[in-house]
Amino acid sequence: MANFYNLDRINNVIIEEDPEYIILQGGRNIGKSYQVKKKLLEDSYVNGTELIYLRREQVDIKTDLAQGYWSDMNIREITEDTWDSIIVYQGKIFWARHDDEGKICEKQQFGWVHALSLASHYKSVMFPKVSDIIFEEFIPDNKPYLQNEPLQLQEYVSTIFRTRKGRCWLIGNTLTKLNPYVDAWKLEGINKMKPKQIDIYRSTVQVQTENGVETHTVKTAVQYCAASGLLSKMAFGAGSNQIVTNEYRRFEQPKVSADFVNNLCHVVYTMYMFYQNLKFKMDFCEIDDSCELGQSRRYFWYVKPAASKITIDDLEDTRVISNEVDMNPLHTGLNPISPKEKRLFDYFAKNKVFFCDDMTGTDWKQCFQALMRR
């Protein structure tokens, strides 16, 4: 594992900052999960603590999948030859030892397998020895997040730890910038992080107790894990770049330059799109008659990122498409507010949408599709 991602820096952060939540994101096959699993298994063996392997959906915690998650661990080395394997049975994780005939002769539980979608089922159960939760693949690949998932996760974590302090590790691949945790947990800088960068976010909470109002701070550490530089032997084309360099997934999009829009087009209509943590400015453009391409009066939408600090409140008199509920009649979901606007919206179906770059187009199409589903 010498060429793979190393947890030394995040360990230093844990020692110095002691965060409750640790988010590790980066490309595939760079050792994020391996290093976390190894550390927590060593902690569990030495200290007698327990852990939880958490996934989003029930289908992800089938016994064969949950047991396979640990298959790259050298259990004999971690446990000083006390145990030789890990087995999963009925939602519980065990150290195990086999006899000469390959049969399990002894086992000892040290963990649990849970699905976040089943969080309500765990509320009546106590987990006093659990010190860590590993939430794997918290950034889904072409699958939806749960409704109000960041809040659901916090409630689940509170169920597990009650009044104790623990750690929740969120591990994900850099697939998409679309992420409800960014807004919900105010992780403003997460999409602009550089490889190896670690950011610490602090949220101060006031709680009414029998002793009065108590204040405490919840810390979230975010690390953008460095690429391994090792290319998967099965990766090729555009996908290989994302896998080896940790870049967000992007696809080729129809593009026009800002110079073309500014010098050879006239902006007829402007609106903004907000979805979760992503923001776009959308101009409906008419190509000038002076341009030979514009002789047939062609129209198209031009999309670019909106200013990062702009908010819906800043756009009180501006047309906004959003997933947020708002009393402003100019702020709606993906539905036209007038016959004229409906004609402009028809250009979406005609694929007359052009972008400033491929990443913007990839992000915008994900948000558009999500708004369509709503």
Side-chain angles (χ1 to χ4, degrees):
M1 301 299 293
N3 293 321
F4 277 56
Y5 165 64
N6 194 297
L7 269 181
D8 287 346
R9 289 196 65 209
I10 194 67
N11 283 342
N12 289 336
V13 171
I14 292 173
I15 293 171
E16 296 169 7
E17 297 285 351
D18 196 22
E20 286 79 6
Y21 295 88
I22 304 101
I23 297 176
L24 304 178
Q25 66 172 15
R28 297 183 182 91
N29 303 320
I30 62 174
K32 303 185 302 297
S33 297
Y34 180 94
Q35 296 289 355
V36 173
K37 286 187 289 185
K38 186 172 185 293
K39 171 180 172 50
L40 298 190
L41 289 178
E42 290 172 345
D43 288 351
S44 179
Y45 175 71
V46 172
N47 302 321
T49 55
E50 295 182 354
L51 58 82
I52 292 176
Y53 171 50
L54 178 68
R55 295 295 299 270
R56 179 170 284 104
E57 302 287 356
Q58 186 174 8
V59 68
D60 299 318
I61 61 171
K62 293 180 179 179
T63 298
D64 57 337
L65 297 176
Q67 187 161 307
Y69 177 70
W70 309 97
S71 61
D72 58 345
M73 295 286 98
N74 187 334
I75 304 306
R76 289 187 179 276
E77 179 182 299
I78 291 172
T79 65
E80 301 172 323
D81 234 14
T82 302
W83 308 100
D84 59 37
S85 61
I86 288 177
I87 62 171
V88 175
Y89 180 68
Q90 293 185 343
K92 300 176 181 179
I93 308 172
F94 298 86
W95 302 113
R97 185 168 61 249
H98 295 73
D99 59 23
D100 293 339
E101 297 180 355
K103 296 181 180 180
I104 297 173
C105 59
E106 189 176 359
K107 64 182 181 180
Q108 177 180 305
Q109 185 184 355
F110 73 94
W112 310 77
V113 179
H114 286 174
L116 185 57
S117 61
L118 301 177
S120 61
H121 294 250
Y122 312 125
K123 289 185 176 180
S124 60
V125 184
M126 303 298 289
F127 302 93
K129 297 178 68 176
V130 171
S131 63
D132 291 88
I133 299 168
I134 311 175
F135 185 13
E136 273 286 356
E137 296 190 24
F138 91 100
I139 301 174
D141 190 357
N142 294 321
K143 295 180 181 178
Y145 288 89
L146 301 178
Q147 186 73 20
N148 298 321
E149 182 173 309
L151 177 59
Q152 286 199 49
L153 179 62
Q154 288 190 28
E155 291 178 343
Y156 165 80
V157 170
S158 296
T159 293
I160 300 303
F161 294 125
R162 306 291 177 173
T163 58
R164 297 182 296 114
K165 182 179 173 65
R167 292 179 302 203
C168 181
W169 304 74
L170 292 81
I171 304 175
N173 297 322
T174 47
L175 299 172
T176 173
K177 294 179 183 177
L178 199 62
N179 186 336
Y181 289 87
V182 175
D183 270 354
W185 292 6
K186 301 187 184 306
L187 310 175
E188 296 90 352
I190 194 171
N191 289 333
K192 298 180 180 179
M193 295 180 71
K194 304 297 182 182
K196 297 185 180 180
Q197 180 177 336
I198 298 174
D199 290 341
I200 303 295
Y201 296 87
R202 295 172 174 82
S203 299
T204 301
V205 182
Q206 290 187 331
V207 181
Q208 181 67 49
T209 70
E210 60 183 10
N211 299 320
V213 177
E214 295 185 3
T215 301
H216 70 278
T217 299
V218 176
K219 297 180 184 178
T220 301
V222 182
Q223 180 164 7
Y224 192 149
C225 305
S228 66
L230 304 177
L231 178 61
S232 167
K233 297 299 187 287
M234 300 300 292
F236 64 94
S240 64
N241 195 49
Q242 187 271 331
I243 292 171
V244 74
T245 64
N246 287 4
E247 293 181 358
Y248 287 102
R249 180 183 291 169
R250 69 185 70 190
F251 301 98
E252 185 73 22
Q253 305 294 338
K255 297 180 289 292
V256 295
S257 69
D259 286 343
F260 176 79
V261 173
N262 294 333
N263 298 324
L264 297 174
C265 299
H266 171 63
V267 176
V268 177
Y269 193 67
T270 295
M271 67 181 183
Y272 288 78
M273 177 187 287
F274 285 57
Y275 190 80
Q276 291 183 6
N277 55 301
L278 299 182
K279 307 169 184 178
F280 307 92
K281 183 180 181 183
M282 304 165 56
D283 290 325
F284 189 74
C285 301
E286 177 186 6
I287 300 176
D288 290 344
D289 290 337
S290 60
C291 175
E292 61 181 32
L293 294 176
Q295 293 176 356
S296 59
R297 298 179 62 82
R298 296 178 183 174
Y299 297 90
F300 65 96
W301 284 101
Y302 175 64
V303 181
K304 64 181 181 180
S308 60
K309 293 184 179 180
I310 197 170
T311 68
I312 288 183
D313 292 337
D314 297 327
L315 302 170
E316 183 177 354
D317 299 321
T318 305
R319 184 72 175 97
V320 177
I321 302 297
S322 172
N323 62 316
E324 296 184 21
V325 177
D326 196 317
M327 295 296 291
N328 190 323
L330 293 176
H331 300 177
T332 71
L334 195 58
N335 51 287
I337 60 174
S338 69
K340 174 186 174 182
E341 191 173 80
K342 183 181 183 305
R343 291 196 296 272
L344 304 189
F345 276 33
D346 288 343
Y347 281 77
F348 296 138
K350 296 176 182 178
N351 289 326
K352 301 298 184 181
V353 186
F354 295 81
F355 305 95
C356 63
D357 55 52
D358 291 333
M359 190 75 257
T360 298
T362 302
D363 292 341
W364 183 87
K365 286 184 176 180
Q366 291 178 337
C367 295
F368 186 86
Q369 291 168 1
L371 287 165
M372 285 286 288
R373 288 193 295 267
R374 292 173 69 91

